[in-house]
Amino acid sequence: MDIRAYPIPTGTALERFSQKPGHYTDCFATEMKAKVTLAEFVGTFYTTPLFKAERLVLRCVGIRSSDHDARQLAEGASEHFAAWQMTVRTETELLMKAIGRTSSWFGIEHVGDTTAPETRLLFGSVVAPKPSAGQGIPQMGPLFSGLLGAHRTYSKLLLMSARRRING
């Protein structure tokens, strides 16, 4: 499946973070030949088998979640899910702040027409740097740099997993 790095969309909550000094942001995209809502995307994403493995790890540290919780968030009936708290929600994007310095971002873009609907599914991340003791630009550090490749691969796999599940 075609999962690729994608420019951070203009005017989004993700773009605001991309403009902050020292912050890491990324965005990955894939297209589907169907009209997909943000609620469908988010609910599916958080209930894929791959993400359920992450939920299992979180459960080991006392952070519980269920498919019902994921659907509540997706439908707008809740503002939190597992370790994440909703900070921005519109019809086309959702920004979830996690415990610590990370956030997850979901977006959709409808790019087809009514005769051939198509939706671009977008998934991005934000990692805020550690606060700087001086006046220099905050930095991420060597641990972040060492894990960046794994993070990017995992993000692509999560998006691919959601796409497959939406396709049925």
Side-chain angles (χ1 to χ4, degrees):
M1 290 192 183
D2 180 32
I3 307 292
R4 66 193 182 289
Y6 191 76
I8 294 173
T10 304
T12 62
L14 187 60
E15 182 190 40
R16 288 193 293 272
F17 282 102
S18 73
Q19 297 170 348
K20 290 185 174 188
H23 282 64
Y24 169 82
T25 54
D26 62 27
C27 184
F28 298 96
T30 190
E31 280 80 27
M32 299 194 63
K33 300 239 181 259
K35 187 169 184 177
V36 179
T37 66
L38 182 65
E40 182 180 8
F41 175 33
V42 171
T44 301
F45 183 97
Y46 280 136
T47 58
T48 61
L50 181 58
F51 197 84
K52 283 184 179 186
E54 184 171 336
R55 287 171 39 193
L56 183 60
V57 171
L58 290 171
R59 178 174 282 186
C60 291
V61 296
I63 300 172
R64 301 192 182 284
S65 63
S66 68
D67 287 357
H68 175 76
D69 297 337
R71 286 189 297 277
Q72 291 289 102
L73 170 72
E75 295 166 5
S78 177
E79 294 187 351
H80 69 277
F81 174 73
W84 293 267
Q85 178 69 37
M86 189 262 312
T87 58
V88 174
R89 184 185 201 114
T90 70
E91 286 185 29
T92 59
E93 72 174 320
L94 175 67
L95 181 67
M96 300 293 292
K97 169 85 171 80
I99 297 169
R101 300 177 302 140
T102 64
S103 297
S104 298
W105 180 83
F106 301 87
I108 58 167
E109 296 176 346
H110 296 292
V111 293
D113 58 31
T114 55
T115 60
E118 191 169 318
T119 305
R120 182 173 296 123
L121 303 178
L122 305 165
F123 177 63
S125 302
V126 176
V127 181
K130 290 182 180 179
S132 168
Q135 292 185 348
I137 295 176
Q139 302 294 317
M140 288 296 177
L143 179 60
F144 174 80
S145 298
L147 295 174
L148 186 55
H151 162 78
R152 293 175 61 83
T153 298
Y154 183 56
S155 293
K156 290 176 187 178
L157 290 172
L158 286 168
L159 184 54
M160 183 185 312
S161 183
R163 178 190 165 135
R164 281 187 181 150
R165 194 129 182 264
I166 290 170
N167 272 340

